[in-house]
Amino acid sequence: MPTTVRAVRLHEFGLPQVMRLESVELPPPAAGEARVRHTAIGFNFIDVYQRRGTYPLPVGTGLGHEAAGVVEAIGDGVTDVAVGDRVAYMNAGLGAYAEGRNIPVDKLVKLPDAISDEQAAAVIFKGMTAQYLVRHTYAVKPGDTVLVHAAAGGVGQILSGWAKALGARVIGTAGSAAKCEIARAVGCDVAIDYSHGDWVKQVRDATDGRGVNVVYDAVGKDTFLGSLDCAQTFGMVVLYGGASGPAPAIEPELLNKKGCLYLTRPSVFPHNADATRFRANAKDLFDAIAAGHVKVQIGARFPLADVARAHEAAEGRATTGAILLLP
Ligand SMILES: NC(=O)c1ccc[n+]([C@@H]2O[C@H](COP(=O)([O-])OP(=O)(O)OC[C@H]3O[C@@H](n4cnc5c(N)ncnc54)[C@H](OP(=O)(O)O)[C@@H]3O)[C@@H](O)[C@H]2O)c1
């Protein structure tokens, strides 16, 4: 039987007000799918890029990548999950901003009892991002010094805490003194307010002039060139987003001049493209939460109908930790 759910739809790109909450018909789950009733939906900054049209999409699309909820029905041939299972997902295409949807089961992970639905919606995208950044892109090890930009933000908090738990010395940047306090609370040994002053010099001073092993930079436009000056010789700069705008183009030769640096621009999606890797990475994340290495801080909750306010808060740099939308 078709079911009607409320879902956010995007018919044009632009300001937060372009997002429309509409009723859509949900058909019964097809073979290999499960219908998931969402209990908590995670906001991610990529949702802003996509709403603005910075990352182009066809219009008439849904929005949102991550949610947690309960399986309400399954299609033919589904054995991985059963009705009543608590699940989460982060790589099933756009459409998480909704009361529910049908999802291919290979995109779902079952939630352990120790992880609440809200925690799962807060970390299944942001925590999986931190997971590949500290495990795969640059495997953080004891003795490393790590620079995390926007360390009080959603990904930033998880990344800082996890890098610290892996034995690194963590330098975090954030946009205010209050956010620097949060960065310190989640594991940063040094927190620098990069909204004023010479933050590059402060990072270099904090490393006795050597620079850091790895820079995790998702601020982009405002920080990228400075990040190249913070990495030590043979260090790595990981550009994984552009909250302030896209990073400027550079000549490859600049990496030589800055100390034979390694530069990469990774994404969470290929790291979790198949079910086996996705579920193994999710287990690593859930284990890190259970061990206390990753703390889940929910900074704000908005009703799904107030999605525009959630985007305004995030774009206005008014939030810390994860933002949830509640259906
Ligand atoms: N490549 C990937 O796989 C991947 C996956 C997930 C997320 N990301 C990226 O990771 C970053 C963090 O994502 P998130 O969802 O956790 O968001 P978030 O960190 O909670 O929010 C972004 C933060 O960026 C900082 N920022 C600096 N300049 C800004 C500006 N001009 N406008 C808005 N924010 C600015 C703000 O912190 P301060 O005020 O402290 O500066 C803000 O809180 C985003 O860039 C996102 O695209 C990448």
Side-chain angles (χ1 to χ4, degrees), residues 103-135:
I103 304 278
V105 288
D106 61 353
K107 302 296 183 188
L108 294 174
V109 61
K110 284 200 244 182
L111 295 178
D113 291 344
I115 307 285
S116 73
D117 291 14
E118 286 204 351
Q119 285 178 318
V123 296
I124 199 67
F125 192 94
K126 291 172 272 292
M128 296 292 269
T129 300
Q131 196 272 344
Y132 83 76
L133 290 171
V134 298
R135 296 288 200 201

Side-chain angles (χ1 to χ4, degrees), residues 222-239:
D222 291 350
T223 49
F224 175 64
L225 293 178
S227 292
L228 299 180
D229 285 321
C230 291
Q232 62 185 230
T233 303
F234 307 126
M236 179 177 279
V237 175
V238 182
L239 178 70

Side-chain angles (χ1 to χ4, degrees), residues 10 13-15 45 47-55 242-243 315:
L10 200 62
F13 302 114
L15 295 171
F45 218 86
D47 308 341
V48 170
Y49 309 142
Q50 291 180 319
R51 190 210 72 224
R52 288 176 181 161
T54 312
Y55 291 175
E315 288 174 272

Side-chain angles (χ1 to χ4, degrees), residues 45 49 125 129 132 154-155 175 179 194 218 240 243 266-268 317:
F45 218 86
Y49 309 142
F125 192 94
T129 300
Y132 83 76
V155 177
K179 286 187 174 186
Y194 60 180
Y240 70 101
S267 163
V268 68
R317 301 170 73 167

